[in-house]
Amino acid sequence: MKLKLQEAIILRENNQAKEALSMLEKLLIDEPLNGTIYYQSAWCCDNLSLEKEAIDYYQKAIKLGLNPTDLKEAYLGLGSTYRAIGEYILAKETFIKAIDCFPENNAYRVFLAMVYYNLGEYQKGMELLLQLLATTSSDNNIQLYQKAITYYSTRLEEKW
């Protein structure tokens, strides 16, 4: 079974997502409670622009359980897919939950900022990105103004 799963992953990695998905669907018949197979199926669906199908697979994978590395990726995939189809509230909820589970993963914050933009919450999105920039950039010029960037990130509307 593990060998077949590895074969499917290799197919997906080699841009043969349709073939990989077919193989994964067969594996699910024998292992309907295997979160990893659902996760890999979701990834294939994303590659094939089958976003709505991907969502079902991501949800099942997360519910059934994944190793921490795959769970991090599944949250990103699910949230990003929700955003791509215009389900901004679900995307926001997914990224907030992901940040709670994996606070060190700043990619979630970047995607959450995009969702804030989509929701018209421009100030929240800009604040999030500015704080992220100030705290993670290794650019000397950014670091030189880190305090100012952080200070102004929550005061974008203020005038002095």
Side-chain angles (χ1 to χ4, degrees):
M1 195 63 67
K2 277 190 169 188
L3 188 58
K4 288 287 186 187
L5 178 58
Q6 287 302 335
E7 286 179 42
I9 292 170
I10 291 168
L11 285 172
R12 179 189 48 75
E13 289 172 344
N14 289 314
N15 299 316
Q16 295 177 295
K18 189 173 184 179
E19 295 82 357
L21 183 58
S22 177
M23 186 178 287
L24 291 164
E25 287 172 341
K26 290 174 186 166
L27 288 174
L28 281 172
I29 293 168
D30 294 329
E31 290 193 58
L33 301 178
N34 187 322
T36 301
I37 298 172
Y38 283 100
Y39 166 62
Q40 290 297 326
S41 298
W43 200 340
C44 288
C45 287
D46 270 345
N47 289 348
L48 294 168
S49 299
L50 301 170
E51 283 80 7
K52 293 189 181 190
E53 292 87 344
I55 287 170
D56 290 336
Y57 283 124
Y58 280 128
Q59 290 173 333
K60 287 177 185 170
I62 291 167
K63 183 177 179 180
L64 289 171
L66 295 167
N67 67 56
T69 301
D70 287 348
L71 183 58
K72 284 180 190 178
E73 296 292 325
Y75 275 130
L76 188 69
L78 179 59
S80 181
T81 302
Y82 278 140
R83 194 188 79 75
I85 65 168
E87 292 287 349
Y88 304 128
I89 299 298
L90 292 172
K92 179 179 173 180
E93 291 169 356
T94 301
F95 288 126
I96 288 171
K97 182 171 183 171
I99 290 167
D100 286 344
C101 292
F102 301 101
E104 76 288 350
N105 189 333
N106 287 320
Y108 299 137
R109 288 174 178 78
V110 173
F111 280 87
L112 180 57
M114 288 186 244
V115 172
Y116 284 142
Y117 174 86
N118 294 127
L119 290 170
E121 298 179 34
Y122 308 117
Q123 189 162 343
K124 276 187 178 180
M126 190 69 172
E127 179 182 335
L128 188 57
L129 286 177
L130 287 172
Q131 289 176 355
L132 190 59
L133 179 68
T135 58
T136 64
S137 177
S138 61
D139 183 288
N140 290 333
N141 293 309
I142 300 294
Q143 288 306 304
L144 185 62
Y145 294 101
Q146 179 186 27
K147 278 178 81 172
I149 293 168
T150 302
Y151 177 81
Y152 289 123
S153 71
T154 60
R155 295 167 177 84
L156 293 171
E157 299 293 323
E158 290 183 28
K159 295 177 186 159
W160 288 270

